[in-house]
Each structure stands twice: as C-alpha cells, then as structure tokens.
Amino acid sequence: TLRLGTAMTNHKTFGSARHKKGEVLKSRRYILDQTALCSLATVNDDGTPHINTAFFCSQGDELFFLSDIRSTHCQNALKRPQVAVSVFDSRQNWNADKAGIQIFGTAGVCRDKSAALAQKRYAERFPKYAAYVKSQKGRIDENSQFFSIRIARYKILDEKRFGEENFVSAHT
C-alpha cells in the first residue's frame, strides 16, 4: 500500500492527491533504474553522521547493496538500522529538469531467499559482477555481504512529471 504525502514547493505545502499512485511509483522506478550509485547515510556510535557511496539494485520496496561487513556503514547499520539514502544523477544541469529521490528505511543483512534475490538482481544490473562471481565459482569474499534497505518512506523530485521544485512524499 502506498500512502501519498504532500508536495512541497518553496516551503509551501500542497495536497498530493493530484499525483496518482502509479505515477509516483513510475517516477521512483525510473530514478532508481537510471542511477547505479547511491549515497547511504548511517549514524556512528558517537551520534555523528557517516555517509558512504554504494552501487545498488532494487526490487519492489527494497534496495540492495554489496559491501564489506566490517565497513563503518555496515557496522552502523547493524547497530542502528535506520538509514537514509539519496539517489540522483550528478550530471544533471542546474537549469534543466531535475530528478532525484531521498529514501528513508531500515537496513539489514540479507539472508537465504533475500540474499539470493539480491545476488540475482545485482548480477542483472552489473554484468561484470556476474562474470566475477562466475570466475570465482560462485564464491565471493566471506566478508562481502548483501544488505537490504526496506523503504519506509521517500521523497521524489521529478520535475518532468510533477513540476518545477515540486517534491512528492510517499510511504510504503
């Protein structure tokens, strides 16, 4: 179930009833499919923010990324699973239609079926990863783990679909 929030332009709030669920989901899918990198924000033990860039793939209301479980962002996510993610094409022109998404959700290590799905989707998105795994006879570094981010809510900027400086918020 998708619950639409509000659209905001220059700090003014407008009802988002004018944005249909299918239109919002289509925008989310487009933005996630167009960009392979995300910025993942976590919180360190001392409460300070940490940010990491990761290659990702997605399926439905989940994002997946592969990373070393010993890394700061993975350790942070294991201790404090609430994360924020930003996805956008950094080559966008300032004076052209812009698009991007901010995602808020919960991260965790993928297990069993979730890990298999993550690996399948990652291999589909990144053929060189698939070739690497094949060359390793299916084995990857034991410290490399797939993580899932379950999307709880998100905010989209898609000026072609929703208008200039119009942010559309939604909950899954």
Side-chain angles (χ1 to χ4, degrees), residues 53-76:
T53 303
F55 287 96
F56 77 96
C57 60
S58 63
Q59 174 80 37
D61 291 334
E62 283 186 283
L63 302 182
F64 302 106
F65 68 93
L66 178 65
S67 198
D68 189 316
I69 195 122
R70 301 167 298 182
S71 65
T72 300
H73 59 282
C74 289
Q75 288 299 303
N76 286 346

mmCIF file of all heavy atoms in Angstrom, residues 53-76:
data_model
loop_
_atom_site.group_PDB
_atom_site.id
_atom_site.type_symbol
_atom_site.label_atom_id
_atom_site.label_comp_id
_atom_site.label_asym_id
_atom_site.label_seq_id
_atom_site.Cartn_x
_atom_site.Cartn_y
_atom_site.Cartn_z
ATOM 1 N N THR A 53 29.159 5.855 -0.357
ATOM 2 C CA THR A 53 28.620 5.674 -1.698
ATOM 3 C C THR A 53 28.662 4.194 -2.029
ATOM 4 O O THR A 53 29.661 3.525 -1.761
ATOM 5 C CB THR A 53 29.457 6.473 -2.719
ATOM 6 O OG1 THR A 53 29.454 7.839 -2.315
ATOM 7 C CG2 THR A 53 28.889 6.355 -4.109
ATOM 8 N N ALA A 54 27.567 3.678 -2.581
ATOM 9 C CA ALA A 54 27.496 2.252 -2.893
ATOM 10 C C ALA A 54 26.748 2.034 -4.205
ATOM 11 O O ALA A 54 25.806 2.768 -4.519
ATOM 12 C CB ALA A 54 26.786 1.499 -1.768
ATOM 13 N N PHE A 55 27.161 1.025 -4.936
ATOM 14 C CA PHE A 55 26.384 0.560 -6.078
ATOM 15 C C PHE A 55 25.189 -0.195 -5.506
ATOM 16 O O PHE A 55 25.318 -0.895 -4.503
ATOM 17 C CB PHE A 55 27.219 -0.351 -6.977
ATOM 18 C CG PHE A 55 28.254 0.397 -7.762
ATOM 19 C CD1 PHE A 55 29.556 0.498 -7.309
ATOM 20 C CD2 PHE A 55 27.910 1.010 -8.958
ATOM 21 C CE1 PHE A 55 30.506 1.202 -8.029
ATOM 22 C CE2 PHE A 55 28.853 1.715 -9.689
ATOM 23 C CZ PHE A 55 30.149 1.815 -9.226
ATOM 24 N N PHE A 56 24.042 -0.055 -6.146
ATOM 25 C CA PHE A 56 22.838 -0.694 -5.616
ATOM 26 C C PHE A 56 21.968 -1.228 -6.745
ATOM 27 O O PHE A 56 22.110 -0.864 -7.910
ATOM 28 C CB PHE A 56 22.035 0.297 -4.763
ATOM 29 C CG PHE A 56 21.261 1.286 -5.599
ATOM 30 C CD1 PHE A 56 19.923 1.065 -5.894
ATOM 31 C CD2 PHE A 56 21.870 2.417 -6.115
ATOM 32 C CE1 PHE A 56 19.211 1.965 -6.685
ATOM 33 C CE2 PHE A 56 21.176 3.319 -6.903
ATOM 34 C CZ PHE A 56 19.831 3.085 -7.191
ATOM 35 N N CYS A 57 21.048 -2.073 -6.368
ATOM 36 C CA CYS A 57 19.981 -2.527 -7.250
ATOM 37 C C CYS A 57 18.705 -2.524 -6.413
ATOM 38 O O CYS A 57 18.759 -2.313 -5.202
ATOM 39 C CB CYS A 57 20.277 -3.912 -7.826
ATOM 40 S SG CYS A 57 20.459 -5.205 -6.591
ATOM 41 N N SER A 58 17.585 -2.744 -7.043
ATOM 42 C CA SER A 58 16.337 -2.701 -6.290
ATOM 43 C C SER A 58 15.339 -3.718 -6.818
ATOM 44 O O SER A 58 15.448 -4.199 -7.942
ATOM 45 C CB SER A 58 15.732 -1.299 -6.326
ATOM 46 O OG SER A 58 15.394 -0.939 -7.645
ATOM 47 N N GLN A 59 14.369 -3.995 -5.965
ATOM 48 C CA GLN A 59 13.244 -4.873 -6.307
ATOM 49 C C GLN A 59 12.090 -4.441 -5.416
ATOM 50 O O GLN A 59 12.196 -4.497 -4.188
ATOM 51 C CB GLN A 59 13.600 -6.339 -6.046
ATOM 52 C CG GLN A 59 12.461 -7.321 -6.233
ATOM 53 C CD GLN A 59 12.229 -7.656 -7.691
ATOM 54 O OE1 GLN A 59 13.180 -7.752 -8.454
ATOM 55 N NE2 GLN A 59 10.986 -7.817 -8.073
ATOM 56 N N GLY A 60 11.023 -3.964 -6.016
ATOM 57 C CA GLY A 60 9.872 -3.536 -5.229
ATOM 58 C C GLY A 60 10.251 -2.452 -4.231
ATOM 59 O O GLY A 60 10.831 -1.432 -4.601
ATOM 60 N N ASP A 61 9.953 -2.693 -2.952
ATOM 61 C CA ASP A 61 10.220 -1.721 -1.892
ATOM 62 C C ASP A 61 11.542 -1.969 -1.180
ATOM 63 O O ASP A 61 11.697 -1.606 -0.007
ATOM 64 C CB ASP A 61 9.075 -1.735 -0.868
ATOM 65 C CG ASP A 61 7.776 -1.188 -1.432
ATOM 66 O OD1 ASP A 61 7.833 -0.369 -2.372
ATOM 67 O OD2 ASP A 61 6.701 -1.573 -0.943
ATOM 68 N N GLU A 62 12.490 -2.584 -1.870
ATOM 69 C CA GLU A 62 13.799 -2.843 -1.276
ATOM 70 C C GLU A 62 14.919 -2.389 -2.195
ATOM 71 O O GLU A 62 14.835 -2.542 -3.414
ATOM 72 C CB GLU A 62 14.008 -4.348 -1.027
ATOM 73 C CG GLU A 62 13.290 -4.901 0.165
ATOM 74 C CD GLU A 62 13.685 -6.351 0.405
ATOM 75 O OE1 GLU A 62 13.182 -7.213 -0.337
ATOM 76 O OE2 GLU A 62 14.485 -6.602 1.323
ATOM 77 N N LEU A 63 15.973 -1.875 -1.585
ATOM 78 C CA LEU A 63 17.236 -1.633 -2.277
ATOM 79 C C LEU A 63 18.216 -2.663 -1.746
ATOM 80 O O LEU A 63 18.118 -3.076 -0.587
ATOM 81 C CB LEU A 63 17.795 -0.241 -1.966
ATOM 82 C CG LEU A 63 16.956 0.977 -2.275
ATOM 83 C CD1 LEU A 63 17.725 2.235 -1.924
ATOM 84 C CD2 LEU A 63 16.547 1.010 -3.725
ATOM 85 N N PHE A 64 19.172 -3.058 -2.571
ATOM 86 C CA PHE A 64 20.210 -3.989 -2.154
ATOM 87 C C PHE A 64 21.572 -3.401 -2.487
ATOM 88 O O PHE A 64 21.746 -2.807 -3.556
ATOM 89 C CB PHE A 64 20.077 -5.329 -2.884
ATOM 90 C CG PHE A 64 18.754 -6.012 -2.680
ATOM 91 C CD1 PHE A 64 17.813 -6.029 -3.697
ATOM 92 C CD2 PHE A 64 18.458 -6.639 -1.481
ATOM 93 C CE1 PHE A 64 16.592 -6.667 -3.526
ATOM 94 C CE2 PHE A 64 17.247 -7.274 -1.298
ATOM 95 C CZ PHE A 64 16.305 -7.286 -2.321
ATOM 96 N N PHE A 65 22.527 -3.584 -1.602
ATOM 97 C CA PHE A 65 23.902 -3.216 -1.903
ATOM 98 C C PHE A 65 24.823 -4.282 -1.336
ATOM 99 O O PHE A 65 24.474 -4.996 -0.402
ATOM 100 C CB PHE A 65 24.259 -1.810 -1.387
ATOM 101 C CG PHE A 65 24.305 -1.667 0.109
ATOM 102 C CD1 PHE A 65 25.488 -1.835 0.808
ATOM 103 C CD2 PHE A 65 23.162 -1.331 0.814
ATOM 104 C CE1 PHE A 65 25.534 -1.691 2.191
ATOM 105 C CE2 PHE A 65 23.195 -1.178 2.196
ATOM 106 C CZ PHE A 65 24.383 -1.366 2.878
ATOM 107 N N LEU A 66 25.998 -4.389 -1.918
ATOM 108 C CA LEU A 66 27.006 -5.360 -1.518
ATOM 109 C C LEU A 66 28.158 -4.603 -0.898
ATOM 110 O O LEU A 66 28.649 -3.632 -1.479
ATOM 111 C CB LEU A 66 27.490 -6.137 -2.752
ATOM 112 C CG LEU A 66 28.585 -7.174 -2.543
ATOM 113 C CD1 LEU A 66 28.096 -8.320 -1.672
ATOM 114 C CD2 LEU A 66 29.047 -7.705 -3.902
ATOM 115 N N SER A 67 28.573 -5.023 0.288
ATOM 116 C CA SER A 67 29.648 -4.304 0.951
ATOM 117 C C SER A 67 30.351 -5.208 1.956
ATOM 118 O O SER A 67 29.834 -6.250 2.345
ATOM 119 C CB SER A 67 29.081 -3.073 1.667
ATOM 120 O OG SER A 67 30.111 -2.167 1.954
ATOM 121 N N ASP A 68 31.507 -4.762 2.389
ATOM 122 C CA ASP A 68 32.278 -5.480 3.407
ATOM 123 C C ASP A 68 31.611 -5.268 4.757
ATOM 124 O O ASP A 68 31.438 -4.136 5.205
ATOM 125 C CB ASP A 68 33.716 -4.950 3.432
ATOM 126 C CG ASP A 68 34.635 -5.784 4.300
ATOM 127 O OD1 ASP A 68 34.235 -6.171 5.420
ATOM 128 O OD2 ASP A 68 35.769 -6.044 3.858
ATOM 129 N N ILE A 69 31.226 -6.351 5.387
ATOM 130 C CA ILE A 69 30.505 -6.293 6.657
ATOM 131 C C ILE A 69 31.298 -5.576 7.745
ATOM 132 O O ILE A 69 30.731 -5.058 8.703
ATOM 133 C CB ILE A 69 30.081 -7.706 7.115
ATOM 134 C CG1 ILE A 69 29.038 -7.618 8.224
ATOM 135 C CG2 ILE A 69 31.248 -8.523 7.582
ATOM 136 C CD1 ILE A 69 27.775 -8.305 7.905
ATOM 137 N N ARG A 70 32.607 -5.489 7.573
ATOM 138 C CA ARG A 70 33.459 -4.810 8.567
ATOM 139 C C ARG A 70 33.502 -3.295 8.379
ATOM 140 O O ARG A 70 34.033 -2.585 9.239
ATOM 141 C CB ARG A 70 34.879 -5.378 8.496
ATOM 142 C CG ARG A 70 34.950 -6.887 8.753
ATOM 143 C CD ARG A 70 36.293 -7.451 8.370
ATOM 144 N NE ARG A 70 36.503 -7.257 6.929
ATOM 145 C CZ ARG A 70 37.562 -7.665 6.256
ATOM 146 N NH1 ARG A 70 38.546 -8.289 6.878
ATOM 147 N NH2 ARG A 70 37.674 -7.467 4.956
ATOM 148 N N SER A 71 32.948 -2.809 7.281
ATOM 149 C CA SER A 71 32.998 -1.376 6.983
ATOM 150 C C SER A 71 32.174 -0.574 7.998
ATOM 151 O O SER A 71 31.272 -1.094 8.654
ATOM 152 C CB SER A 71 32.475 -1.107 5.573
ATOM 153 O OG SER A 71 31.100 -1.447 5.512
ATOM 154 N N THR A 72 32.489 0.700 8.091
ATOM 155 C CA THR A 72 31.795 1.579 9.044
ATOM 156 C C THR A 72 30.299 1.619 8.784
ATOM 157 O O THR A 72 29.494 1.471 9.705
ATOM 158 C CB THR A 72 32.394 2.998 8.992
ATOM 159 O OG1 THR A 72 33.781 2.929 9.326
ATOM 160 C CG2 THR A 72 31.684 3.941 9.941
ATOM 161 N N HIS A 73 29.902 1.810 7.529
ATOM 162 C CA HIS A 73 28.467 1.919 7.245
ATOM 163 C C HIS A 73 27.718 0.621 7.540
ATOM 164 O O HIS A 73 26.590 0.665 8.033
ATOM 165 C CB HIS A 73 28.206 2.409 5.816
ATOM 166 C CG HIS A 73 28.784 1.546 4.749
ATOM 167 N ND1 HIS A 73 30.120 1.567 4.419
ATOM 168 C CD2 HIS A 73 28.213 0.652 3.920
ATOM 169 C CE1 HIS A 73 30.338 0.721 3.438
ATOM 170 N NE2 HIS A 73 29.199 0.144 3.125
ATOM 171 N N CYS A 74 28.338 -0.518 7.281
ATOM 172 C CA CYS A 74 27.679 -1.792 7.596
ATOM 173 C C CYS A 74 27.579 -2.006 9.100
ATOM 174 O O CYS A 74 26.528 -2.425 9.613
ATOM 175 C CB CYS A 74 28.416 -2.955 6.933
ATOM 176 S SG CYS A 74 28.220 -2.996 5.138
ATOM 177 N N GLN A 75 28.641 -1.719 9.812
ATOM 178 C CA GLN A 75 28.606 -1.851 11.276
ATOM 179 C C GLN A 75 27.559 -0.897 11.873
ATOM 180 O O GLN A 75 26.819 -1.276 12.786
ATOM 181 C CB GLN A 75 29.989 -1.597 11.875
ATOM 182 C CG GLN A 75 30.975 -2.719 11.603
ATOM 183 C CD GLN A 75 30.507 -4.037 12.195
ATOM 184 O OE1 GLN A 75 30.264 -4.144 13.396
ATOM 185 N NE2 GLN A 75 30.358 -5.043 11.346
ATOM 186 N N ASN A 76 27.506 0.319 11.354
ATOM 187 C CA ASN A 76 26.497 1.260 11.821
ATOM 188 C C ASN A 76 25.090 0.733 11.564
ATOM 189 O O ASN A 76 24.215 0.812 12.437
ATOM 190 C CB ASN A 76 26.655 2.620 11.133
ATOM 191 C CG ASN A 76 27.831 3.414 11.635
ATOM 192 O OD1 ASN A 76 28.414 3.104 12.667
ATOM 193 N ND2 ASN A 76 28.194 4.449 10.895
#
